[in-house]
Amino acid sequence: MTNFPITALRSVAFGLPDPASAESFYVSVWKLEVSARIGGAIYLRGTGTDHHLLSLLLHPEPAVLSMTFRAASAEVLAQIADRVPPGGGRLLHGPRPSLDPAAGTAIAFIDNQDRVVRVVHGDRTLPALLPTSERHDSRPERLTHININSCDVEAAREFFETVLGFRMSDRSAQMAFVRTNHDHHSVVIATAPVNGFNHAAFLLPTWESVMVGSGRLIDAGFGIAWGVGRHGPGDNVFAYFIGPDGFVIEYTAEVLQVDDSYRARGPQNWAWPPGRVDQWGIAPPKTDACKHAQLAILYAATERVAAGHEG
């Protein structure tokens, strides 16, 4: 297996007008747990070992402040920092102690399409949480991928490959799927009229966990925005929801695991028959509300990260 310089997608930082209200949803309904609080910032974990998957920080309007990846070594961290300017990005800071509660050493930069990216090494992990007594534990384990909107998918893909060392797994007509470990994809780059946030996906243990979790969201008044179904690229089961602040979030399971023998396929391999939007053929079309929400959240002013608002 390729030794990727980035080993995992760790977390995403949401900026919100009322983080405490958002916490209620993500803890009580989405089923994350609080791992730390610093000032008004709230850090939420899953059942896996990552210190946090999602951070909720104060911001005037809903926005994504940053996404954070984990580097394989301190040397890799420095190498990535050196590659950012030639790759078309802007380095905000080189290796320094991370200001988030997971600690470690971090770099931060703006990519070639104005997204704030953080990369950490040596960050603190936590003991995994024990399974519940429920037949199907429907709590998220980890953040499995983030889907970003791009006005130029190929330019974004090239940045992730040349600067961060990702590899493309598949290319559909509208999206590039890139990976940095055994998961088929950790980042999906979607064709869009704006560079912004599309959705974040949280991994559940099984496809039935996705069903159980979806039922819980429906009971809480959050209908399924798209799904339940099984995607083509990545082969994962999915259910999409619109959170209370407008962020599109996904429960997913059974993401395809790949190695160096996997060969990327093109748009001709990922076309469904008319009327079908997933492998199973049972998912209804994506709702208009979901389509709108997937274009509505942008990335925040980069000065927040430069000033130390890290997640």
Side-chain angles (χ1 to χ4, degrees), residues 103-179:
T105 303
I107 64 171
F109 58 87
I110 303 166
D111 73 5
N112 61 341
Q113 294 180 347
D114 297 325
R115 289 174 284 264
V116 175
V117 180
R118 301 177 65 245
V119 184
V120 300
H121 173 68
D123 57 319
R124 183 162 64 95
T125 57
L126 300 172
L129 299 179
L130 295 175
T132 66
S133 59
E134 298 175 4
R135 180 183 170 200
H136 294 283
D137 191 341
S138 57
R139 298 174 298 168
E141 296 178 359
R142 59 182 172 90
L143 190 64
T144 184
H145 69 261
I146 187 166
N147 188 311
I148 57 178
N149 292 326
S150 174
C151 297
D152 187 338
V153 170
E154 290 308 306
R157 178 188 61 78
E158 183 177 359
F159 186 92
F160 275 91
E161 291 182 354
T162 60
V163 176
L164 295 173
F166 281 65
R167 292 180 62 178
M168 189 167 73
S169 296
D170 281 304
R171 181 69 161 93
S172 69
Q174 298 296 319
M175 300 181 185
F177 298 78
V178 296
R179 70 180 186 273

Side-chain angles (χ1 to χ4, degrees), residues 8-13 66-70 100 117-120 311:
L9 168 66
R10 191 198 69 182
S11 57
V12 62
S66 65
M67 49 185 168
T68 298
F69 299 91
R70 184 175 290 118
D100 76 39
V117 180
R118 301 177 65 245
V119 184
V120 300

Side-chain angles (χ1 to χ4, degrees), residues 38-291:
I38 297 181
I42 303 158
Y43 297 85
L44 303 174
R45 66 168 296 180
T47 61
T49 60
D50 290 321
H51 179 275
H52 60 278
L53 315 180
L54 177 64
S55 52
L56 309 174
L57 298 94
L58 184 64
H59 193 261
E61 67 279 331
V64 171
L65 304 186
S66 65
M67 49 185 168
T68 298
F69 299 91
R70 184 175 290 118
S73 67
E75 292 75 17
V76 162
L77 203 62
Q79 291 165 7
I80 292 172
D82 289 341
R83 289 198 295 264
V84 168
R90 179 162 66 91
L91 190 67
L92 293 173
H93 65 76
R96 75 179 192 193
S98 175
L99 302 180
D100 76 39
T105 303
I107 64 171
F109 58 87
I110 303 166
D111 73 5
N112 61 341
Q113 294 180 347
D114 297 325
R115 289 174 284 264
V116 175
V117 180
R118 301 177 65 245
V119 184
V120 300
H121 173 68
D123 57 319
R124 183 162 64 95
T125 57
L126 300 172
L129 299 179
L130 295 175
T132 66
S133 59
E134 298 175 4
R135 180 183 170 200
H136 294 283
D137 191 341
S138 57
R139 298 174 298 168
E141 296 178 359
R142 59 182 172 90
L143 190 64
T144 184
H145 69 261
I146 187 166
N147 188 311
I148 57 178
N149 292 326
S150 174
C151 297
D152 187 338
V153 170
E154 290 308 306
R157 178 188 61 78
E158 183 177 359
F159 186 92
F160 275 91
E161 291 182 354
T162 60
V163 176
L164 295 173
F166 281 65
R167 292 180 62 178
M168 189 167 73
S169 296
D170 281 304
R171 181 69 161 93
S172 69
Q174 298 296 319
M175 300 181 185
F177 298 78
V178 296
R179 70 180 186 273
T180 191
N181 50 41
H182 284 288
D183 286 348
H184 176 272
H185 54 277
S186 295
V187 174
V188 182
I189 308 163
T191 300
V194 293
N195 296 325
F197 174 79
N198 189 290
H199 71 271
F202 296 77
L203 185 71
L204 298 188
T206 66
W207 69 265
E208 194 157 359
S209 299
V210 173
M211 303 298 283
V212 172
S214 297
R216 180 176 62 246
L217 268 290
I218 292 170
D219 288 345
F222 297 90
I224 298 175
W226 188 31
V228 176
R230 186 181 285 276
H231 283 311
D235 198 39
N236 46 312
V237 175
F238 67 89
Y240 288 55
F241 299 88
I242 304 170
D245 292 283
F247 294 88
V248 177
I249 45 180
E250 176 188 355
Y251 276 156
T252 192
E254 300 184 1
V255 178
L256 182 67
Q257 299 297 287
V258 302
D259 57 23
D260 290 343
S261 67
Y262 189 84
R263 294 293 175 261
R265 286 167 286 181
Q268 69 277 9
N269 302 113
W270 302 114
W272 302 123
R276 175 175 287 213
V277 295
D278 76 317
Q279 284 195 60
W280 289 337
I282 62 170
K286 189 182 296 182
T287 66
D288 288 340
C290 186
K291 293 176 183 177

